[in-house]
Amino acid sequence: MTAPTPDHYAVVGNPIGHSKSPRIHTLFAAQTGQNMRYDALLAPFDGFCETALAFKTGGGLGMNVTVPFKEEAFRLATRLSDRARAAGAVNTLTFNGDEIFGDNTDGAGLVRDIRSNLGRRIAGQRVLLLGAGGAARGVILPLLAEKPAALIIANRSADKAHRLAAAFPGISGGGFPELAGQSFDLVINATSASLHDAHLPLAHHQFAPGCLAYDMVYGKETPFLRQARAEGAATADGLGMLVEQAAEAFLVWRGIRPQTEAVLAELRRP
Ligand code: NDP
């Protein structure tokens, strides 16, 4: 008897060689006994739709989408989840007949990492979100669902933070200087400054006693995390968010939520 053909999934991006998603999903599949194969696909910068549609035509059942194609994936979807619509970006596509379902699991992944892996509550906390790009936008709705005492967005280009905050009721946004005199229990760095080792203009008092400073970038000691630690904050990088957003995508596709603890430990192993 021949073995059944594995269900086919992939992550698409440019660049894609660095992606940890094939390893994460392969570990999830082994853990949950799912017969699936997960590849990394490099799409040309002007060829996302062709790559995604060729994968679908070839029998692919779903795709994760990473930089720089999340907005294009949003436009390609024929149906969207509420969280994808709020994010204006899609990181998880599901192909089902003619339908292309677009979802965004980044925010759920962040919230789960903070709550379950790091043991921190968001409810009732003063939260500062740094950045106003796709990553920041994608986490606002899931953060608000946790009912923080306040959610403030700060961005290098203040007008972008103003516009983003205006799209969601009950939050405010501006430039870094507007943070003067305010302190926060949770500071989330959703800028790409850490990728370039750039320092963010945060004042000492902005990390309240007991603060958690969270950098979405992972795998490196960033100036943001160094500053936060020097000022007494607890720190975390974005590897847990990466694993948790993958687990949420796996749940969307397979109807099973994999355990993440062992996978995260495996990825952290030197
Ligand atoms: P975008 O390019 O959409 O946005 C970049 C943001 O960073 C903008 O707000 C920009 O400000 C700001 N920025 C860039 N450089 C600097 C700097 N030197 N000083 C201050 N602000 C700066 O990127 P994304 O939102 O898609 O991604 C942001 C980060 O989040 C990336 O590093 C990405 O790797 C990470 N990420 C991690 C995930 C995970 O699972 N761990 C998931 C998704 C993203 P301005 O508007 O002024 O240009």
Side-chain angles (χ1 to χ4, degrees):
M1 211 168 75
T2 53
T5 312
D7 291 342
H8 198 184
Y9 297 86
V11 58
V12 58
N14 188 337
I16 201 62
H18 66 288
S19 176
K20 294 184 189 300
S21 293
R23 185 149 168 235
I24 294 171
H25 281 278
T26 302
L27 288 167
F28 286 164
Q31 179 203 107
T32 57
Q34 299 288 297
N35 184 25
M36 55 188 273
R37 167 180 155 208
Y38 189 106
D39 294 326
L41 295 182
L42 177 73
F45 287 113
D46 60 353
F48 166 73
C49 288
E50 289 74 7
T51 305
L53 293 174
F55 182 74
K56 173 178 179 289
T57 306
L61 296 182
M63 289 183 120
N64 285 131
V65 181
T66 187
V67 177
F69 299 127
K70 291 184 186 181
E71 278 88 6
E72 274 189 81
F74 177 84
R75 291 192 291 273
L76 183 68
T78 57
R79 185 167 70 89
L80 290 165
S81 66
D82 288 345
R83 57 193 184 180
R85 200 172 293 111
V90 157
N91 79 336
T92 304
L93 290 169
T94 306
F95 305 124
N96 186 9
D98 286 343
E99 182 182 87
I100 302 176
F101 175 60
D103 200 351
N104 190 313
T105 65
D106 281 339
L110 172 73
V111 166
R112 211 173 166 91
D113 189 36
I114 292 172
R115 287 188 47 177
S116 304
N117 300 333
L118 301 169
R120 294 282 187 141
R121 69 192 166 93
I122 299 169
Q125 303 290 290
R126 285 182 52 78
V127 180
L128 172 61
L129 181 61
L130 305 172
R137 190 179 183 96
V139 300
I140 292 174
L141 203 63
L143 283 173
L144 284 175
E146 294 296 308
K147 304 208 180 328
L151 177 58
I152 314 282
I153 301 172
N155 194 47
R156 177 175 61 182
S157 320
D159 57 319
K160 265 173 79 179
H162 281 298
R163 278 202 305 276
L164 185 53
F168 296 87
I171 66 175
S172 59
F176 284 88
E178 290 167 55
L179 298 174
Q182 300 188 65
S183 63
F184 300 89
D185 308 303
L186 173 60
V187 180
I188 300 166
N189 183 10
T191 75
S192 50
S194 297
L195 292 179
H196 321 292
D197 290 325
H199 187 82
L200 294 168
L202 287 168
H204 173 74
H205 61 264
Q206 270 148 13
F207 300 95
C211 175
L212 171 67
Y214 190 104
D215 201 325
M216 286 194 190
V217 167
Y218 51 83
K220 62 194 284 193
E221 172 71 359
T222 68
F224 168 75
L225 291 181
R226 242 190 328 268
Q227 180 185 0
R229 203 171 297 126
E231 295 178 10
T235 56
D237 76 358
L239 191 63
M241 174 179 175
L242 180 78
V243 172
E244 295 297 343
Q245 64 76 28
E248 187 79 13
F250 196 92
L251 174 67
V252 169
W253 290 330
R254 310 299 298 185
I256 299 172
R257 179 184 286 285
Q259 301 288 322
T260 51
E261 201 181 333
V263 174
L264 191 49
E266 165 104 20
L267 292 184
R268 287 216 189 275
R269 203 164 295 146

